[in-house]
């Protein structure tokens, strides 16, 4: 993980990864590589074709809001990844942003 990274369990099977000073252009490939590494893991004692998958929700930190709101944004992206078929990375795009307007 990059310097300064913080990992924590949020509950159940959900984990948070705080990556300070990383742009979305750097975070998405990082998350995608992590997703692929998880999928490539062989779990001892299970059949060779058994694979674990991971879904990722990405949101850039907004210093103008609360920790809870930042987590909600990442959680919304995570649920979009799950709804889209799981085993993928999705980025939260704030409403009203140029990226949001382009997607419509």
């Amino acid at each position: 993980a990059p310097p300064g990274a913080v990992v924590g369990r949020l509950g159940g099977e959900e984990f948070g990864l705080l990556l300070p000073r990383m742009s979305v252009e750097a975070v998405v490939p990082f998350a995608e590589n992590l997703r692929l590494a998880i999928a490539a893991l062989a779990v001892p004692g299970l059949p060779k074709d058994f694979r674990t998958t991971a879904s990722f929700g990405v949101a850039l930190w907004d210093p103008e809001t609360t920790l809870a709101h930042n987590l909600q944004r990442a959680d919304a992206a995570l649920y979009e990844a799950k709804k889209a078929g799981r085993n993928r990375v999705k980025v939260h795009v704030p409403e009203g942003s140029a990226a949001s307007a382009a997607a419509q």
Side-chain angles (χ1 to χ4, degrees):
V6 178
V7 178
R9 182 171 177 255
L10 298 175
E13 298 173 349
E14 293 186 1
F15 295 83
L17 179 57
L18 181 59
L19 301 167
R21 297 175 297 281
M22 283 186 81
S23 68
V24 71
E25 293 83 14
V27 170
V28 171
F30 177 82
E32 186 63 25
N33 286 336
L34 186 54
R35 185 189 68 77
L36 293 171
I38 290 168
L41 291 173
V43 179
L46 293 176
K48 289 181 185 179
D49 60 345
F50 179 86
R51 292 291 179 246
T52 300
T53 62
S55 300
F56 290 81
V58 174
L60 291 183
W61 186 264
D62 180 354
E64 301 296 318
T65 190
T66 64
L67 170 62
H69 186 255
N70 280 297
L71 286 173
Q72 285 175 335
R73 292 172 40 250
D75 199 46
L78 171 63
Y79 280 95
E80 283 298 315
K82 290 178 177 182
K83 194 165 60 170
R86 300 181 180 268
N87 197 31
R88 64 195 66 229
V89 176
K90 287 286 187 178
V91 178
H92 176 269
V93 178
E95 288 184 32
S97 71
S100 176
Q104 295 179 6

